[in-house]
Amino acid sequence: MSQYISLDDSWMISIDDDIYYDVSLNDFRFDTLKKGSEIIMQRELPDDLGASDGALRLHIRQSAIQIYIDDELFYEYGLDRVEQGKTVGSGYQFINFPNENCGKTLRIHLYQTEEKVFSKLDSLRIYPWENAFRLLMTENRIPLFTGCFLLIFGLVAMIITVFALAFSLKYIRLFCVSIFSLLIGLWTLCYYNVVLIFSIPLYSVSLLEYLSFYLAPIPLLIYMREDVWKLKQRFLQYCYRTLFIIQTAVTACMIILHAMDIVHLAATLPYMQVFIVCDLVYFLFIEILNLKSSQLIDRLLLIGMLIIGVCVSYDLISYCSSRFHGSTPLTLRGVASVGVVIFIAILICSFYISLTQKMMHETERNFLLKSAYTDELTQIHNRRYCMEYINKIRETEDLNYTIICFDLNDLKKTNDTYGHTRGDILIKSAAEAIQETFEAHGMVARIGGDEFISILHTTVNEEITRLLAQFQAAVERKNREITNLNMSIAYGYASCSMQEHNIDKVYQMADDRMYEKKKQMKSAGRAGSQA
């Protein structure tokens, strides 16, 4: 047996009250029919159908069917669903068709369940069962490849970005790309009947096809929001909100009406196609306006919009021509899905370019913030940061803090005697001793040439005493490590209490105690030199 036996010729066809004889399905055209119309096809079968286990491939479009062999009911599909007001779907039916039907009369009844669905009867073929699905895959190899790629990529990217969104909303655009890819991949596999190899009922395949097609514009709309707001034009933002609300509301209404079997998705498809064309035109306009910024990302998106616009237009023209005129000069299959693959690749590139730019700007911003709040010599916080930290404590009315003021002794003498390089070493050594002791317990900063401060989140006297002992040990260790350092630091501290919780007064008390300590150290130093 060859790849298939064609049953396209010698048909007698009845459409409602009109009868046509000796019809070839390849050439037969008619006006689109109303819901409830009946088509009856009849012809004699060949004397030899080849292998004993053949498969009749019948392409139905929103029609219930009955097949008779010599006036005996042979196969039936969809009538029970029509009685319940449910949709029957569109796609291929593979019907077991044994060789014993040779020479008999084949009669097919098609009961149209939706308005104006088709204007041409598709080719009927008998395949060997072992070749039926393989040839279906071969005929749709481009949609098979692109659909599987989009589906797998979308699923994997969605799972990854769901976790990423828990940490940052900056991944929302990548999440939209993954959802869009997932929906278009599913639509491609359903529209070209590739998923039939999994024995999914035809009406379920059609439902998945329509749902994925109807939902696909929504993640794309969310993705484009940032590009619209970038233009800073209220009219365009108003248009975006209107388009998004209408698209979402209409999609939801159509799905609800279908679920309630009031109006099926197949009947609302032309209206959804109009919405999708409007979306594409609006997006194209937005990207053209964004070209004024002369950024690579906007040029990439414009190219992507042009590609997907051309590809979707190609498939829309092909679909409408086939549906309403019964033929189309456009024979290449899966063009829209190829365009979507290219478009998604561009979306991903633009997302990563945008993300990289944001990270660079954030890094630059963090660097500037750090520079604004960091002392250049010691790399600890500076006076500006200290003042804001104090203001934050004042605003939150935090009562659990201790302020320690430090003053580096003999800095001027060191600068005058050994030079500012030696003085800088002394300052950095003091900062290191203060930082390694107190930073883990609060904040440390340099607030003047030889003045430092630490604000600890504790008022426990024993803990403060322990930290000060560690600080003294750190100073002594620095003096041993660096030759002739001779570092000496005066300090004083005060803790917030119920009697005194005004932070300015607590700071003043710590500063006064530090100066008192400094006087004591100078007096002790003079007494030691006189002795």
Side-chain angles (χ1 to χ4, degrees):
M1 186 176 180
S2 61
Q3 284 191 328
Y4 61 85
I5 293 176
S6 175
L7 301 178
D8 289 345
D9 300 323
S10 304
W11 287 92
M12 183 184 75
I13 297 178
S14 170
I15 301 179
D16 294 331
D17 297 328
D18 299 323
I19 300 177
Y20 306 88
Y21 296 94
D22 196 23
V23 172
S24 171
L25 299 183
N26 292 325
D27 304 322
F28 186 58
R29 306 287 186 275
F30 50 87
D31 293 333
T32 52
L33 304 177
K34 295 182 179 179
K35 181 178 180 179
S37 296
E38 181 181 2
I39 300 175
I40 302 175
M41 308 167 57
Q42 181 173 313
R43 64 157 287 172
E44 297 295 322
L45 290 169
D47 293 332
D48 184 13
L49 296 178
S52 59
D53 53 347
L56 175 66
R57 191 180 81 172
L58 177 64
H59 193 191
I60 64 171
R61 300 174 189 270
Q62 300 298 334
S63 300
I65 60 172
Q66 287 180 318
I67 299 178
Y68 293 85
I69 302 293
D70 282 350
D71 295 327
E72 182 178 347
L73 184 62
F74 176 75
Y75 180 80
E76 185 177 74
Y77 169 76
L79 291 176
D80 56 336
R81 294 185 61 82
V82 173
E83 292 175 357
Q84 299 171 22
K86 298 182 179 297
T87 183
V88 296
S90 298
Y92 288 115
Q93 289 274 39
F94 288 92
I95 304 164
N96 186 32
F97 208 77
N99 194 41
E100 61 192 41
N101 291 328
C102 294
K104 296 181 180 181
T105 300
L106 170 66
R107 189 170 80 251
I108 302 175
H109 291 243
L110 299 173
Y111 305 95
Q112 189 163 334
T113 61
E114 301 292 346
E115 294 283 339
K116 298 182 178 181
V117 178
F118 60 95
S119 57
K120 179 183 182 299
L121 296 169
D122 292 280
S123 178
L124 269 74
R125 297 172 181 177
I126 298 176
Y127 292 87
W129 261 115
E130 63 271 14
N131 292 336
F133 289 103
R134 180 179 60 83
L135 291 174
L136 176 64
M137 299 298 102
T138 302
E139 291 173 0
N140 296 284
R141 53 189 175 273
I142 294 178
L144 174 62
F145 171 78
T146 54
C148 288
F149 170 80
L150 290 170
L151 190 65
I152 294 171
F153 166 79
L155 186 61
V156 173
M158 181 187 68
I159 293 172
I160 294 173
T161 50
V162 162
F163 290 102
L165 283 173
F167 298 97
S168 175
L169 287 177
K170 64 185 177 183
Y171 296 101
I172 187 67
R173 300 190 88 189
L174 185 58
F175 181 74
C176 292
V177 172
S178 64
I179 296 296
F180 180 68
S181 174
L182 185 65
L183 292 171
I184 293 299
L186 184 60
W187 171 80
T188 301
L189 296 178
C190 292
Y191 181 74
Y192 292 99
N193 299 285
V194 177
V195 295
L196 289 176
I197 61 174
F198 300 109
S199 300
I200 302 175
L202 191 59
Y203 53 83
S204 297
V205 173
S206 289
L207 179 60
L208 287 173
E209 173 194 334
Y210 285 118
L211 286 176
S212 55
F213 184 75
Y214 280 45
L215 293 173
I218 295 176
L220 195 57
L221 274 165
I222 298 173
Y223 182 95
M224 294 301 298
R225 183 185 183 280
E226 185 175 318
D227 294 321
V228 176
W229 258 250
K230 192 189 303 181
L231 295 170
K232 298 179 180 179
Q233 296 185 22
R234 288 189 175 182
F235 176 74
L236 293 178
Q237 294 174 3
Y238 173 79
C239 290
Y240 173 86
R241 291 191 186 99
T242 303
L243 189 63
F244 181 81
I245 292 171
I246 292 175
Q247 180 78 52
T248 306
V250 168
T251 301
C253 288
M254 289 179 176
I255 293 174
I256 292 171
L257 291 173
H258 178 92
M260 299 175 66
D261 292 317
I262 298 175
V263 180
H264 293 146
L265 293 177
T268 58
L269 180 61
Y271 305 105
M272 182 54 67
Q273 290 172 335
V274 171
F275 278 112
I276 290 175
V277 169
C278 292
D279 292 339
L280 290 174
V281 171
Y282 177 75
F283 294 157
L284 186 61
F285 179 69
I286 291 299
E287 296 312 323
I288 290 175
L289 291 180
N290 273 314
L291 275 180
K292 294 179 181 179
S293 62
S294 300
Q295 292 184 0
L296 175 61
I297 184 173
D298 299 316
R299 295 180 181 179
L300 285 173
L301 282 174
L302 178 60
I303 293 171
M305 283 294 175
L306 289 172
I307 291 174
I308 198 173
V310 170
C311 293
V312 170
S313 298
Y314 180 99
D315 271 12
L316 281 175
I317 292 171
S318 178
Y319 172 82
C320 293
S321 178
S322 175
R323 176 171 178 170
F324 298 108
H325 302 290
S327 64
T328 175
L330 308 176
T331 57
L332 191 60
R333 301 170 69 84
V335 173
S337 58
V338 174
V340 170
V341 170
I342 298 172
F343 180 62
I344 286 178
I346 291 174
L347 284 181
I348 294 171
C349 290
S350 65
F351 168 77
Y352 279 109
I353 291 173
S354 176
L355 185 61
T356 302
Q357 290 176 344
K358 287 180 179 178
M359 291 177 66
M360 290 175 63
H361 292 156
E362 187 173 343
T363 301
E364 183 179 358
R365 176 178 172 274
N366 291 338
F367 174 77
L368 292 175
L369 283 174
K370 184 178 179 182
S371 299
Y373 292 111
T374 302
D375 179 65
E376 184 177 356
L377 177 61
T378 62
Q379 293 302 301
I380 62 174
H381 296 305
N382 60 12
R383 186 180 187 86
R384 181 186 290 116
Y385 184 89
C386 177
M387 293 301 102
E388 291 190 10
Y389 198 89
I390 289 174
N391 288 334
K392 187 183 296 184
I393 293 176
R394 183 183 294 113
E395 291 170 1
T396 59
E397 299 182 352
D398 183 10
L399 302 180
N400 185 43
Y401 65 88
T402 296
I403 298 178
I404 308 176
C405 294
F406 304 88
D407 189 277
L408 182 59
N409 295 322
D410 298 327
L411 176 62
K412 185 177 184 305
K413 180 180 178 181
T414 301
N415 286 331
D416 294 341
T417 305
Y418 302 104
H420 285 278
T421 301
R422 189 70 177 180
D424 289 346
I425 295 174
L426 190 60
I427 293 171
K428 287 192 285 186
S429 299
E432 290 170 2
I434 295 170
Q435 184 178 25
E436 68 182 48
T437 305
F438 300 104
E439 188 174 50
H441 304 275
M443 182 275 301
V444 297
R446 182 188 180 200
I447 58 175
D450 55 2
E451 296 179 5
F452 298 85
I453 190 173
S454 176
I455 302 178
L456 309 179
H457 300 299
T458 182
T459 57
V460 179
N461 193 58
E462 291 79 4
E463 186 175 357
I464 298 169
T465 302
R466 178 179 59 82
L467 290 173
L468 289 172
Q470 291 180 9
F471 169 65
Q472 290 287 9
V475 171
E476 293 171 5
R477 187 176 64 253
K478 290 288 182 184
N479 285 328
R480 291 193 301 270
E481 292 173 351
I482 302 176
T483 305
N484 297 324
L485 182 63
N486 298 324
M487 181 168 61
S488 172
I489 302 176
Y491 61 84
Y493 71 90
S495 297
C496 177
S497 64
M498 295 303 297
Q499 291 76 23
E500 186 56 75
H501 53 266
N502 183 296
I503 193 168
D504 296 313
K505 292 183 179 180
V506 173
Y507 173 75
Q508 188 61 51
M509 288 170 59
D511 196 52
D512 291 342
R513 290 171 182 174
M514 180 271 294
Y515 276 110
E516 185 64 31
K517 179 76 171 180
K518 191 175 183 70
K519 290 178 182 178
Q520 293 175 7
M521 294 177 73
K522 284 187 176 181
S523 298
R526 284 196 296 268
S529 62
Q530 290 173 0

